[in-house]
Amino acid sequence: MWPAPSVPRPPSTLAATVLLCAAVLLGGCTSPASDAETVSEELEQLASSYEARLADGLETGLPVRDDGFAYAVDLGNTMGAAVALGNRSLFDRAYGMIRAHFLRVDTGDPRARHTVLWRYKPGTAPDASGSKETGLLADALWEAYERWGNPEHRRMATKVLDAYLRHGYWETDRRFVVKNYYNYGTQTLSENTWVLNQMPHTVRKIACGTQDASLFRRANAMARFAEGAYLKKGFSREMYDKGIETVFDGADGYYSPNGLLKLQSSLEIAKALLPFTLAPAREVIGFIRASYPDVSSAYYYNPRSKAIAPLAETSEQTYGLSEKALVLLLATRVRDSPGEAFLQDFVGREIVPELKRRRDESSSPFYFDVPLMLEAAQRYLRPDQVPAPPGESECTL
């Protein structure tokens, strides 16, 4: 459990005098309120410096990772953070790069039109779209429209959402399933399906804004599919293969390779299900709170005992900034469950130290995890001053 703040007994007169003298000698005393203000001030300053680094980096060109590719997901995350921050110039710069290098508009293949290339390198032929990347662009464009009112953002958001949904198909039980990618060469969808590529929250949000009943049905059907992957304690299985149902008795098609459960994936699935059910978000936050400080980025699920156990940590499995950002984002959406004390402790123990540690670093996925953190920090610091979370507003069709 996260350590609960101790409640001191009322001090005696002598003890009070000693405490007062100590406070004077130390230059004052602290209170829970002042501690919260200090944490928020530190987070505010760090977030501001990281926002400036994001903007400065994009001025020099595409954000390229160590493998020489620029990734659409990095720019999509940056666009989402820019909307939450109200930073129009940062949004426009990232969107301009998406339009120039990733968004497929002038193509003779109607199934590829308005899809998003998953990664880009000059001189390398485009190979495939990414369904998640396409959905992220639709989400960021719609959020931008709702914040700044540009009708072009709305128009393009609906076109890109349509391209995202072309990655999907209807199951016979009326679940809607989005595949991983569309191969530009073979003009076919991928065989495999990742549950985290389902974005029912985005589909629902745009359905509410456009009053499109068919989109609303797809959002609900996609949410049913994502909910089917749920296990326990906030964790979900990562993949789906309908063929498994015909091979193993009692199988439902969902699985995680080698029984591995990635925390990042489960957090993203919980986020996508927020408008439909809060249970995964509440349970994964509770799991992390109970596991602290022994939180891992990967866990093993034993289907026989149904136990979830952490794997031995390696440098590739470290519980990092992207996971912590998603934890904070989910916790701000279910604030009544963990409580303000948990949020303050989490920011003070996990987010602020991590940002300080990485202040002078320039890691390869900088544009992936830092934007997630900036959006989460904005929702923590200003819960009443940012747009409503994707798909969570009430609507009727």
Side-chain angles (χ1 to χ4, degrees):
M1 293 290 289
W2 283 84
S6 60
V7 180
R9 296 177 181 177
S12 64
T13 303
L14 176 59
T17 302
V18 171
L19 289 171
L20 177 60
C21 292
V24 171
L25 289 172
L26 292 172
C29 58
T30 61
S31 67
S34 62
D35 287 344
E37 290 173 2
T38 300
V39 168
S40 294
E41 288 170 1
E42 284 190 297
L43 180 60
E44 184 93 54
Q45 293 170 0
L46 288 164
S48 179
S49 68
Y50 274 90
E51 180 183 355
R53 285 180 63 187
L54 279 182
D56 292 344
L58 289 190
E59 285 184 355
T60 64
L62 280 168
V64 177
R65 295 197 192 181
D66 291 343
D67 61 3
F69 283 91
Y71 285 78
V73 66
D74 296 351
L75 291 169
N77 285 351
T78 299
M79 290 170 64
V83 175
L85 293 163
N87 190 332
R88 182 68 180 270
S89 64
L90 178 60
F91 177 89
D92 288 343
R93 194 171 300 133
Y95 182 33
M97 292 176 172
I98 286 283
R99 291 199 309 271
H101 303 294
F102 297 89
L103 184 61
R104 308 283 288 174
V105 177
D106 298 323
T107 173
D109 181 359
R111 295 186 69 185
R113 194 165 297 133
H114 296 110
T115 61
V116 174
L117 175 66
W118 73 292
R119 65 179 185 174
Y120 166 81
K121 181 195 285 188
T124 301
D127 54 358
S129 69
S131 59
K132 183 76 169 184
E133 290 81 352
T134 304
L136 281 173
L137 178 59
D139 185 90
L141 284 168
W142 190 269
E143 285 290 298
Y145 164 69
E146 290 191 335
R147 177 137 201 174
W148 295 308
N150 185 340
E152 178 59 21
H153 290 155
R154 175 190 171 107
R155 185 185 72 83
M156 188 55 69
T158 57
K159 288 181 177 295
V160 175
L161 181 70
D162 180 65
Y164 168 73
L165 293 172
R166 287 201 301 273
H167 289 84
Y169 68 96
W170 285 97
E171 282 279 20
T172 55
D173 59 1
R174 304 304 293 168
R175 291 177 299 169
F176 191 79
V177 184
V178 167
K179 293 281 193 173
N180 288 356
Y181 61 83
Y182 176 73
N183 188 304
Y184 296 140
T186 63
Q187 297 187 348
T188 56
L189 292 173
S190 64
E191 290 295 326
N192 52 355
T193 300
W194 288 87
V195 180
L196 64 84
N197 287 347
Q198 317 306 308
M199 299 180 67
H201 59 311
T202 295
V203 181
R204 183 186 186 278
K205 172 184 59 180
I206 297 179
C208 291
T210 59
Q211 290 291 286
D212 188 326
S214 66
L215 287 182
F216 201 75
R217 285 193 296 272
R218 289 192 185 188
N220 289 333
M222 194 183 298
R224 284 197 299 274
F225 170 73
E227 286 184 70
Y230 188 73
L231 287 170
K232 59 188 289 189
K233 297 183 178 179
F235 285 90
S236 294
R237 289 164 289 181
E238 295 192 334
M239 300 189 73
Y240 176 78
D241 185 344
K242 187 173 178 60
I244 291 179
E245 298 178 31
T246 63
V247 176
F248 301 101
D249 291 337
D252 57 7
Y254 298 98
Y255 69 102
S256 284
N258 301 316
L260 187 69
L261 302 176
K262 294 180 182 177
L263 179 60
Q264 175 95 20
S265 298
S266 290
L267 290 168
E268 291 198 32
I269 294 168
K271 176 186 174 184
L273 288 173
L274 280 173
F276 309 92
T277 173
L278 298 178
R282 292 188 191 279
E283 292 188 21
V284 75
I285 295 298
F287 175 85
I288 290 169
R289 184 178 183 182
S291 302
Y292 180 82
D294 300 318
V295 179
S296 173
S297 67
Y299 292 81
Y300 174 73
Y301 176 71
N302 187 321
R304 294 182 178 179
S305 66
K306 301 189 184 306
I308 295 177
L311 296 180
E313 284 289 320
T314 68
S315 59
E316 290 79 21
Q317 294 173 346
T318 303
Y319 172 50
L321 185 60
S322 61
E323 290 101 336
K324 293 174 183 178
L326 286 168
V327 170
L328 179 60
L329 189 66
L330 290 180
T332 63
R333 301 276 60 83
V334 291
R335 289 180 106 101
D336 60 316
S337 185
E340 292 298 323
F342 168 81
L343 281 166
Q344 180 189 328
D345 280 347
F346 186 79
V347 170
R349 295 172 184 269
E350 297 286 355
I351 301 293
V352 169
E354 182 82 6
L355 292 178
K356 287 181 176 179
R357 183 183 66 80
R358 293 183 51 175
R359 189 156 36 192
D360 299 322
E361 296 180 5
S362 183
S363 62
S364 184
F366 182 85
Y367 280 82
F368 176 82
D369 50 19
V370 168
L372 291 176
M373 179 280 300
L374 288 175
E375 181 178 356
Q378 189 73 0
R379 297 193 185 281
Y380 169 74
L381 293 168
R382 297 177 181 83
D384 300 323
Q385 298 179 26
V386 293
E392 291 184 55
S393 56
E394 293 295 328
C395 73
T396 56
L397 297 182

